Amino acid sequence: MNDKNLFNISSNAFLRCGAWFGIFMKPQRYASPAKVGKRGTTDLFVGTRRTGAQHLQDPMLMKLVPMYQGVRIPFTIHAEAEELSVITDYGCIRFCFADPSLILVRGENGLGLLLERDMEMHQMARRRGEKGWETSFGYVCSIVYNPIRGDIEMDAKWDYEGLSTPQVRGEVKPDANGEFLLSIEESEAFGRIRDEYPSYEEALSSTRADWEAFLEKQPLLAPEYAEDRIEAAYMTWSNLTDPAGLVKRPYIYMRSADPASAWQMCQNAVVLKNNLPIAVELLLNMLDHLAPSGQLPDFFSDSRGAYLMIKPPLQGWALELLMREHDLKAEVPEEKLLMLYEGYSRFADWLQEYRGDADGILVMEHGDESGSDDSPLFKTALAVDAPQQSACAALLYEKLGDLAKMLGRDADGDLWYEKSRRLIARLIDRFWNGERFVAYDHYEPDRVIDTESIQFYYTLILGKRLPQDLIDRMAADLEEEKGYLSAAGFTTENLRNSPYTEVGTGRGKILPADNIIVTTGLYLAGKEAQAKRAAKLFCDGLRKAPNYYYGGGFIGTWSAAAFQILANLYTNG
Amino acid sequence: MEVQNKKTPDQEPNLFSITGGMPFTRRGAWFGIYADNFMRTIYGTRLFIGSRRGSVIERGDNMLMRFCPMYQGEKVDYEIHTTAAELILTTAYGNIRCCFPEPDLLYIKGENSLSLRLEKTNGPHEVMKKRGDKGFVQLSSWIGTMLYYPVKGSIEMKADWDYESLSTPLVRGTVLPDECGEFVLAAQESIYDQKVRDSYPGYEEGLQAVCADYADFVSRMPKLSGEFAELQKEALYTEWALLVNPSGRMEHPLIFMTGRAMASSWQMIQNAVAFKDNIPLRNAMLLNMLCEQSPLGQFPDFYDDSRSNAQGIKPPIQGWGLRWIRKDHDLFSEMSEKDLLRLYQGYGAWADWFMKYRDEDHDGLPEYEHGDECGFDDSSIFVTTPEAETPDLPAYLILLFEQLGDIAGFLGKTAEQEAWYRRGEEMLSLLISELWDGEMFIARTARTHKSIRSGSLQHYIPFVLGKRLPQEIIDKMTADLLEEGVFLSPYGLASERMDSDQYRIMGMARGFVLPPQHLLILTGMYDAGKEEEAKMIAKRYCLAMKDNGFNMLIDPKEAGRGSFGCTWPTCVFLILADMIQNK
C-alpha cells in the first residue's frame, strides 16, 4: 500500500463519480491540517452533497468511529480513488462504493464501527428490514445502514415529546468470524433493504473499473506530473454527479458539497476533452435551466437555481478548445449540437439584451459577474464596462456561427461571424488605450478604471483575431517579472502597482481561472512558448504556494481543472 | 409611528387580517405584502414586501423590502383595509392602494402628494442597482430579484456601493409623486434578472385584471348562503391567494398551507376536493405530487419550488379525495386520458409502496413509522413507539384500492380492476378482524403487535369507509363521537378525549380541534348514513370559525384561544359547509 493518500482528505471527501454522498473527514479540534489522516487526528462521517443539507448547516449526517471490544480506538486513514482504509492497531476497516448510491464497509479481526448522531425534532432512526436501520433527514436524504454480515446493536430511544430519536448510537458488531460487512445506501426518498448485495470484492472491482476507465481517458502528462495527474483526475471523477432533482444530466461540483458555476462547467468540459460525451453534457447542463429570457443560471444544484448574476460567458472559449481536437459534427449527436446552438444562441441574445449597449459592449454588473468577486476593478464602481466580457461573448458568437454551419444554417452562421467581428473591433476601439486595455464606470462612462487587472488579459482568448501589436504588447506585459507573472503563475493584479493582500480572492492572489484563461489565451494567440512557461510555473507553483484552492493537495475541482488544462498545455500543446 | 389595523368608517370590514399571518397577494404569485408583527402591541404593524419561495428558510425571514407611506418627507400613520384585490392604506392625507395586475407584478399607487419610503438592509453580494431610465433592481440571495419601476413619479434612491461587503448594504429609496401628486410603483418579482418592460398597464386596468381572476375563481366554487355566506369570502380569498404558479421543481400549481409554508401531499387532495367544481385547478391538485414521486413510488411529505421533503410521507387519502369528488363529477371523463393514465399509474405505485415498504412485519397491515406520517404529529397513539399499525392507514388504502379499480375499469383494464377491488376487500376484512376489538378500532405496535388504545380521535378515522363498515361499528363509533364532553365539544371534535391524561392544549393533536380529522370523519359519517349527525358536528366546527375566525388549532373548551389561519381550516370549512347546505 502506498503510504501517501491519493488526495487531501481534510478538504475533500471520499466519493465516486455519480454519487450524492460519501465519506467525509474532518480534523479533530486541535489537529494540524497537515497531520489530518494520521493516527487519532481525524473524525469520520457519512456526508451528503445534496443542497438540502444547507438546512442542517453541515453536510455531515453520521459520525463513524472504529471500535474494538466496546472501546473507541484511534485510527489512521489511507485514501485511494476506489477505496478508503481506516487502519487501527487491530486491523483495517475498508470502504468502497458498489455503485453511486451504495457504500460497502468491511471490518475484520473483531473490529466494530460505532454510528453516532444527535437528531433534531422530527428526525429519527427507524428499523428497516430484519437488521437494518434508516436515518432520515428532511429535505436532504435517507441513509440505510444494513449489516450484511454482523449486526447493529442500536440504541435510538423514541422521545414522544421531541417527536424524534434524539440520540442515535449504533454499534456495528462483527459476526462469529470477527468480520462485518455493512452497507450504507443513500436515496432522496425513503430507502429500502435490497434483495441482494454485491460482495465487497465485486463492489471494489466495479468501482476500480469505472475509475480506471475514466483515468485512462485523461491526457498523459510530463513525467514530473504523473502523480498529480492521478490526484487531479480523482478530483474531477469524484465530483461528477448523476442526475437528481433539478440535475438532469452529469454535473460537476466545485468542492465536495458545493456545486460548480456555469463557467466552471466550461473549464471542466475542457478538462474532459478526451471524454467528449461527458464534456458535452457539462456544456449542456446549464441549458436545462435556461430562463425564459435566455439567462443562464450562475449555478444550480439538485434543489435550486441561482440566477441573481451570471458568470463570464466562457462557452465560446470551451468550444474553441474542444473544436481544435474534435470534429463536433461527426462526434456529437445532432440533437445535442442543436441544443447547444439554440440554447447558447438564446443566451447570447440575452447578453446583448440585458448586458449590452448599442455597440454590443457588455457591462458587468457586479464583481461576481467577473468571476473574481472582489476584483479591484469594482472598488469604486458596482457596474463596469470592461473588455473581457465582450471578448468572451465575441468568441461565443463565432462558435455559434460554427455550430450554425454544422447544422446547415449557413446564413445564420454568417450573421454570427459578422456579429463577432464587429464586437471585437468595437471592444478594441473602446477599451485599448494604446498601451493596454482599461475599463470604465458604467454609470460614469468617461471615468477610466485602470486597476491593471489580469482580467484585461482574458481578451487574449481571441487569439489571432486580435491585431498582432496588441498581442505582442499584452504578451510583453505578462512576461514582465514581478508584474503579473509570479513564481507560481499569474496574479490577479499587477503586483508592481497593487500590493498583494491576504483578504478575499481577487486582490493579488493567484487564481486557477485567471491562469486557465490567460495562459490558454497566450497559446491561442501564438505565444506558445510563453504559454508553456507560464503553465509550468503555475503547475509547479501550485504545490509550493498553498492557497484556497490547493493545500497539501487539490481542493476540489477548480485547481484540479487548472492543473489538468495547463499541464496538458505544457506537455502536449 | 403607530399603525392600526381596523376598518375605516366608509369601508366594508376587512376581508382578512394581515396581522394574523395572511399576506396580501394573489393566485400564482411567489411574493406578497406581509405584516411584521414585531412588538405590534406597542409600535404597531410594519408592512413589507415578502417572498414565499422555499429558499427563504435559509435567510431566517422572508423580507424583501420594507415600505411605509410618507408625506412631505415624514413617515405617516395609516390604517389598513384588506380586500381580495386591493390593500388600502389610509392616511390623513389620502390613500395608498396596492393590487396585483399579474402574479409577478405588484402595483402601489399613491395620491395627494403622498410618497413611499422603501428600506432594506442588504447582506453580502446583495445589491440594489439601476435598471432602465428610472428603475432599480434588487438582488436577494437565494430568493431572486425585485424590479422597482415608477410607472408614474420617480424613485430617489440611496444605495451606495460598498466594495468591502460587495453589496449596497443600506437601501433607502423614496418613491416620489409626479406633478399631479400621484405615483404608481411597479414591483416585479422573478428568480431571474429583470429589465424594465416596454409598457405597463394602468393601475385601474391592473385592478380589473385581478378582480376578473378572483371573480373567475369564486364563480367556480360552491355557493354558500345564510350564516356561511360572509365567512365564505375570507375562505375563498385564502384559498385563492395561497395558490402558486409552477416554478423551479414544480410542474403544476401548488397550494400553501400558511402564508409562508407549503401544504403537504394530503392537503393537496383536501384542497382538490374544495376545488371540485374548478376542473383544471382540481386536476392540478390531484396531479401535482406525481412529478416528485420517487422511483419506488413514494410521494414526498411536501415540496415547493426549491425543496423536497421526501423524508416523510402523509396519509394516502387520494382514494378518499377521488371518491368525494366523484359524488358530483364524472371525474375520469374530466381529465385527459394522458393525465388519467398518469394518475392511475402514479397512485397505483403509491398504493403499492405502502404494501412493499411499509409492511415490515408482512402481516398485510402497513405501518406508520412516525406520528408525522399520519398527519397528526403528536397523536397519543405514538406515546410509546414511533412505529405503529393504526386503523386509519388501511382505511385510506381500502378507498385508494377501490378508486384505482374504478379507474382501471374506466381504462378498460379489467384484470387490474378486479385485482384492486380484491385487495380492497381483503384489506377491509383484515382491518376489521385485526383492529376492531368490539369497542373501538385499536392500533398496535409494529412487529410486536401490542395493543394501543389511546385517547386519540385517530382511532375513528376508519369512518372514511362509510357503509363499507358493518352497521354495528358505525353505530358504536357514532355513539362515541356524539357523547358530549368526551370528543364532542361545542366547536367540533377534540383530537384527544378531553378526559384523557394525554389531553392538553399544546402541540397539535393532543386536544385541539383540527381540520383534517373533521373532514375525514364527518364525510365518512355522512357516507355511512349518519347524515344528520355529521352535519350537526360539521356545523359546530364551521360556526366556530364564524365566531372566532379561521384557526388551524381550536381549543375545544375555549374556542377563542385559537391559532393561525391557513388553507387547512378554510378548505375544510368550504367542503363541510357545502356538505351541510348543498347535500
Side-chain angles (χ1 to χ4, degrees):
Chain A
M1 185 186 287
N2 185 347
D3 277 349
K4 185 174 175 296
N5 286 322
L6 173 65
F7 58 92
N8 172 352
I9 60 171
S10 67
S11 303
N12 302 286
F14 173 69
L15 296 155
R16 75 158 270 175
C17 181
W20 284 92
F21 81 130
I23 304 299
F24 287 54
M25 290 146 281
K26 210 159 75 169
Q28 287 188 354
R29 192 168 175 188
Y30 297 111
S32 143
K35 296 272 174 80
V36 171
K38 304 293 183 196
R39 183 183 169 94
T41 60
T42 308
D43 287 331
L44 209 59
F45 300 87
V46 175
T48 181
R49 59 191 357 171
R50 291 191 190 270
T51 302
Q54 300 279 349
H55 300 285
L56 305 175
Q57 311 294 325
D58 192 340
M60 314 302 182
L61 301 177
M62 180 68 78
K63 190 174 180 181
L64 307 174
V65 187
M67 303 285 284
Y68 186 70
Q69 295 184 348
V71 177
R72 298 168 190 240
I73 51 174
F75 57 90
T76 301
I77 292 174
H78 180 73
E80 298 288 343
E82 66 274 39
E83 189 173 50
L84 185 80
S85 302
V86 174
I87 303 155
T88 78
D89 290 343
Y90 306 98
C92 196
I93 297 175
R94 298 172 197 278
F95 297 74
C96 77
F97 279 89
D99 60 50
S101 64
L102 182 67
I103 291 174
L104 293 185
V105 191
R106 187 171 70 178
E108 60 185 8
N109 302 339
L111 283 166
L113 188 68
L114 184 67
L115 314 175
E116 203 170 53
R117 167 85 194 191
D118 289 344
M119 310 291 268
E120 295 173 4
M121 198 167 196
H122 299 283
Q123 293 178 349
M124 65 176 289
R126 65 189 88 205
R127 284 179 289 182
R128 188 61 74 221
E130 290 303 309
K131 306 193 292 181
W133 287 82
E134 178 172 27
T135 53
S136 48
F137 303 91
Y139 308 122
V140 189
C141 65
S142 138
I143 305 283
V144 174
Y145 301 87
N146 187 37
I148 302 165
R149 291 172 62 186
D151 218 334
I152 298 179
E153 202 171 273
M154 179 63 79
D155 180 6
K157 291 189 176 59
W158 171 241
D159 171 26
Y160 172 60
E161 296 301 324
L163 298 177
S164 79
T165 54
Q167 295 175 317
V168 175
R169 304 285 181 274
E171 188 174 345
V172 183
K173 298 271 195 181
D175 64 9
N177 297 318
E179 295 176 351
F180 73 80
L181 181 60
L182 175 73
S183 71
I184 306 177
E185 183 156 21
E186 190 257 12
S187 57
E188 186 181 11
F190 279 121
R192 67 192 166 116
I193 301 295
R194 297 190 185 194
D195 294 335
E196 56 184 34
Y197 290 85
S199 69
Y200 188 86
E201 289 74 18
E202 286 169 338
L204 186 61
S205 165
S206 80
T207 297
R208 181 175 287 138
D210 188 72
W211 158 241
E212 288 177 352
F214 178 88
L215 180 61
E216 192 179 24
K217 289 181 179 163
Q218 291 308 100
L220 291 173
L221 302 176
E224 62 266 36
Y225 299 135
E227 284 188 19
D228 305 286
R229 168 182 174 266
I230 300 172
E231 182 189 344
Y234 172 77
M235 286 298 117
T236 307
W237 176 75
S238 66
N239 279 299
L240 286 163
T241 65
D242 282 346
L246 293 181
V247 175
K248 305 297 181 199
R249 62 183 77 239
Y251 192 89
I252 198 160
Y253 265 55
M254 176 167 70
R255 283 185 292 270
S256 303
D258 299 315
S261 56
W263 73 330
Q264 290 175 32
M265 291 300 152
C266 299
Q267 294 162 26
N268 283 289
V270 172
V271 169
L272 293 167
K273 67 186 176 66
N274 293 355
N275 199 340
L276 192 63
I278 298 183
V280 170
E281 295 296 321
L282 294 190
L283 290 178
L284 287 171
N285 60 27
M286 289 285 153
L287 298 176
D288 290 328
H289 295 286
L290 200 65
S293 59
Q295 182 187 356
L296 280 185
D298 183 336
F299 63 88
F300 70 96
S301 67
D302 57 320
S303 282
R304 63 185 179 197
Y307 294 87
L308 294 188
M309 300 192 226
I310 58 166
K311 285 290 182 285
L314 264 192
Q315 292 76 17
W317 167 87
L319 287 168
E320 166 91 345
L321 291 177
L322 291 175
M323 288 163 71
R324 288 168 70 89
E325 301 189 29
H326 292 277
D327 177 354
L328 295 188
K329 185 174 182 184
E331 296 178 60
V332 178
E334 187 172 339
E335 71 271 16
K336 296 200 173 186
L337 282 184
L338 189 62
M339 185 174 171
L340 279 175
Y341 174 69
E342 291 184 340
Y344 284 125
S345 294
R346 290 183 56 202
F347 178 51
D349 290 343
W350 182 90
L351 286 171
Q352 175 57 46
E353 193 175 347
Y354 282 75
R355 294 289 186 270
D357 67 10
D359 289 334
I361 297 290
L362 302 186
V363 58
M364 293 183 285
E365 292 196 341
H366 191 283
D368 290 9
E369 297 202 337
S370 76
S372 185
D373 303 2
D374 58 346
S375 165
L377 262 179
F378 298 86
K379 192 164 188 172
T380 58
L382 165 60
V384 172
D385 295 335
Q388 61 269 30
Q389 212 79 338
S390 298
C392 291
L395 197 50
L396 174 60
Y397 300 160
E398 183 188 293
K399 294 303 117 187
L400 284 169
D402 292 347
L403 289 172
K405 298 270 182 187
M406 285 178 210
L407 292 164
R409 301 179 181 192
D410 286 0
D412 289 344
D414 290 338
L415 289 174
W416 285 116
Y417 290 153
E418 174 54 26
K419 186 170 176 154
S420 175
R421 282 192 293 269
R422 203 165 55 235
L423 182 55
I424 293 169
R426 285 174 177 163
L427 81 88
I428 294 170
D429 184 52
R430 177 89 189 275
F431 298 111
W432 184 256
N433 72 359
E435 295 186 351
R436 60 178 180 272
F437 281 117
V438 295
Y440 296 92
D441 183 335
H442 181 69
Y443 298 130
E444 298 175 44
D446 295 331
R447 190 165 75 81
V448 177
I449 299 174
D450 182 7
T451 65
E452 296 193 58
S453 168
I454 192 73
Q455 289 188 41
F456 294 133
Y457 297 83
Y458 284 13
T459 47
L460 280 166
I461 63 169
L462 291 171
K464 293 184 175 172
R465 299 166 192 84
L466 292 171
Q468 190 60 42
D469 58 323
L470 268 67
I471 293 172
D472 291 342
R473 183 60 202 248
M474 285 197 283
D477 291 348
L478 294 172
E479 195 81 285
E480 190 181 339
E481 286 192 21
K482 296 182 182 173
Y484 294 102
L485 190 61
S486 76
F490 294 118
T491 56
T492 58
E493 290 289 303
N494 187 330
L495 293 186
R496 195 160 36 85
N497 301 322
S498 307
Y500 169 85
T501 76
E502 277 291 334
V503 180
T505 59
R507 307 188 199 187
K509 287 183 176 168
I510 298 162
L511 300 184
D514 289 346
N515 279 274
I516 293 173
I517 297 166
V518 173
T519 309
T520 56
L522 277 170
Y523 191 88
L524 293 169
K527 302 290 183 183
E528 289 93 347
Q530 187 180 350
K532 288 192 173 201
R533 283 196 301 279
K536 182 154 179 60
L537 280 175
F538 175 81
C539 293
D540 291 346
L542 202 58
R543 287 171 293 179
K544 294 175 193 159
N547 58 40
Y548 182 66
Y549 305 96
Y550 191 96
F554 297 104
I555 299 173
T557 53
W558 221 346
S559 55
F563 171 82
Q564 289 175 97
I565 293 169
L566 296 181
N568 175 62
L569 185 154
Y570 167 71
T571 307
N572 304 312
Chain B
M1 181 192 72
E2 184 164 339
V3 179
Q4 299 167 23
N5 184 8
K6 64 185 183 185
K7 71 185 180 69
T8 51
D10 59 338
Q11 290 168 327
E12 290 291 308
N14 278 338
L15 179 63
F16 63 94
S17 165
I18 198 165
T19 58
M22 186 65 200
F24 172 70
T25 180
R26 71 166 274 177
R27 167 158 72 169
W30 281 94
F31 73 127
I33 295 177
Y34 290 76
D36 178 353
N37 295 329
F38 175 66
M39 298 180 74
R40 66 180 172 185
T41 54
I42 302 172
Y43 297 113
T45 299
R46 296 187 298 172
L47 297 177
F48 63 90
I49 298 171
S51 172
R52 53 182 170 182
R53 294 195 175 275
S55 49
V56 298
I57 197 166
E58 284 176 44
R59 297 171 58 93
D61 69 55
N62 70 328
M63 207 267 279
L64 298 172
M65 183 64 72
R66 195 172 295 290
F67 68 92
C68 179
M70 307 271 289
Y71 187 72
Q72 294 185 347
E74 298 291 332
K75 290 182 179 178
V76 292
D77 291 356
Y78 55 91
E79 294 177 349
I80 301 172
H81 181 64
T82 57
T83 72
E86 256 192 327
L87 178 77
I88 303 163
L89 311 182
T90 301
T91 78
Y93 310 97
N95 290 329
I96 303 257
R97 292 175 176 271
C98 311
C99 76
F100 277 88
E102 299 166 16
D104 61 353
L105 184 64
L106 166 68
Y107 270 3
I108 305 178
K109 183 175 88 164
E111 61 184 6
N112 301 343
S113 296
L114 283 164
S115 58
L116 194 74
R117 168 62 51 79
L118 305 175
E119 287 175 337
K120 171 85 194 308
T121 301
N122 280 332
H125 297 266
E126 292 182 331
V127 294
M128 174 70 86
K129 55 190 179 182
K130 291 180 197 171
R131 186 62 84 229
D133 56 344
K134 52 180 187 170
F136 291 86
V137 68
Q138 161 87 14
L139 312 189
S140 299
S141 294
W142 306 122
I143 298 179
T145 62
M146 286 295 303
L147 174 64
Y148 299 96
Y149 184 77
V151 180
K152 288 176 78 174
S154 60
I155 301 178
E156 196 174 83
M157 181 64 75
K158 184 163 176 55
D160 293 338
W161 168 240
D162 173 40
Y163 172 61
E164 295 304 322
S165 65
L166 301 176
S167 75
T168 55
L170 297 174
V171 173
R172 175 173 291 192
T174 308
V175 184
L176 297 166
D178 62 10
E179 61 280 3
C180 300
E182 294 177 352
F183 73 82
V184 175
L185 175 71
Q188 185 166 322
E189 190 263 4
S190 176
I191 60 170
Y192 309 116
D193 199 356
Q194 300 192 63
K195 66 188 182 82
V196 175
R197 297 181 182 196
D198 293 336
S199 66
Y200 288 84
Y203 185 89
E204 292 307 319
E205 191 184 344
L207 183 59
Q208 279 174 17
V210 66
C211 286
D213 186 71
Y214 186 64
D216 174 69
F217 175 84
V218 170
S219 72
R220 295 166 190 250
M221 298 298 287
K223 302 290 176 287
L224 298 179
S225 57
E227 57 198 349
F228 298 140
E230 274 303 303
L231 194 57
Q232 187 187 21
K233 290 179 182 172
E234 181 180 351
L236 291 175
Y237 170 76
T238 304
E239 293 285 308
W240 173 76
L242 294 188
L243 287 162
V244 282
N245 282 343
S247 181
R249 299 180 76 116
M250 298 159 48
E251 292 176 15
H252 296 281
L254 291 172
I255 191 162
F256 272 70
M257 178 172 79
T258 68
R260 302 179 197 183
M262 185 54 75
S264 55
S265 65
W266 74 328
Q267 291 177 49
M268 295 299 158
I269 302 301
Q270 294 165 32
N271 282 286
V273 173
F275 299 142
K276 66 186 169 68
D277 300 335
N278 186 337
I279 292 171
L281 182 57
R282 176 201 71 199
N283 290 351
M285 292 291 123
L286 293 174
L287 291 165
N288 59 21
M289 283 293 144
L290 296 173
C291 60
E292 284 283 328
Q293 190 165 26
S294 82
L296 302 182
Q298 182 202 333
F299 286 156
D301 185 334
F302 64 87
Y303 75 102
D304 58 30
D305 60 322
S306 60
R307 301 177 299 160
S308 176
N309 185 349
Q311 296 305 307
I313 54 166
K314 284 293 181 281
I317 65 163
Q318 287 73 18
W320 167 84
L322 295 183
R323 181 178 152 63
W324 198 253
I325 292 167
R326 290 178 65 204
K327 282 175 176 291
D328 298 326
H329 287 269
D330 183 3
L331 174 65
F332 304 158
S333 299
E334 291 172 358
M335 295 186 96
S336 71
E337 191 174 337
K338 185 181 163 196
D339 282 345
L340 184 62
L341 189 60
R342 192 171 171 219
L343 181 135
Y344 173 66
Q345 291 167 341
Y347 282 14
W350 172 229
D352 286 341
W353 182 85
F354 280 94
M355 305 317 297
K356 282 183 189 166
Y357 300 108
R358 281 306 169 89
D359 185 17
E360 289 264 353
D361 53 12
H362 308 295
D363 66 350
L365 291 174
E367 305 100 19
Y368 288 127
E369 294 185 347
H370 193 289
D372 292 0
E373 296 184 347
C374 74
F376 312 113
D377 304 4
D378 53 353
S379 159
S380 57
I381 285 179
F382 299 94
V383 168
T384 58
T385 176
E387 299 169 322
E389 291 175 354
T390 66
D392 53 322
L393 181 51
Y396 298 136
L397 286 171
I398 289 163
L399 294 181
L400 182 54
F401 292 157
E402 185 181 287
Q403 292 300 312
L404 285 164
D406 287 355
I407 303 175
F410 184 84
L411 294 172
K413 299 172 186 284
T414 312
E416 291 179 30
Q417 178 186 30
E418 287 171 7
W420 286 118
Y421 287 161
R422 190 168 56 251
R423 290 172 72 177
E425 288 159 10
E426 288 169 0
M427 180 74 85
L428 179 61
S429 168
L430 206 54
L431 167 67
I432 294 171
S433 65
E434 293 293 311
L435 299 183
W436 178 257
D437 73 352
E439 293 289 319
M440 67 183 286
F441 279 110
I442 60 160
R444 63 189 188 189
T445 57
R447 303 169 199 251
T448 51
H449 289 186
K450 287 183 191 162
S451 172
I452 301 173
R453 300 173 102 245
S454 80
S456 174
L457 186 60
Q458 194 180 347
H459 292 283
Y460 292 84
I461 297 284
F463 241 135
V464 293
L465 291 168
K467 288 191 171 166
R468 292 164 197 77
L469 292 171
Q471 191 61 42
E472 64 270 25
I473 293 179
I474 292 171
D475 291 341
K476 177 66 171 69
M477 290 203 298
T478 305
D480 288 353
L481 295 183
L482 289 180
E483 191 176 349
E484 293 280 358
V486 179
F487 286 109
L488 187 60
S489 83
Y491 315 109
L493 298 168
S495 53
E496 177 78 17
R497 287 176 65 106
M498 288 180 274
D499 56 1
S500 157
D501 61 357
Q502 287 293 334
Y503 173 84
R504 69 195 75 171
I505 300 305
M506 189 66 206
M508 179 190 174
R510 295 196 228 178
F512 279 122
V513 174
L514 297 176
Q517 292 171 331
H518 284 78
L519 184 58
L520 297 162
I521 289 174
L522 299 182
T523 53
M525 191 183 276
Y526 182 93
D527 264 358
K530 303 287 185 184
E531 289 95 344
E532 291 313 310
E533 293 86 343
K535 286 185 177 184
M536 180 273 289
I537 301 173
K539 193 166 182 180
R540 289 191 186 193
Y541 180 72
C542 292
L543 288 175
M545 306 293 175
K546 183 169 184 287
D547 297 337
N548 300 288
F550 285 103
N551 287 301
M552 179 172 142
L553 311 172
I554 299 173
D555 182 336
K557 295 179 181 172
E558 301 172 51
R561 284 183 56 205
S563 66
F564 52 93
C566 61
T567 54
W568 226 347
T570 54
C571 95
V572 171
F573 163 80
L574 290 168
I575 297 167
L576 292 183
D578 178 50
M579 184 182 86
I580 294 166
Q581 294 194 340
N582 301 325
K583 292 202 188 303

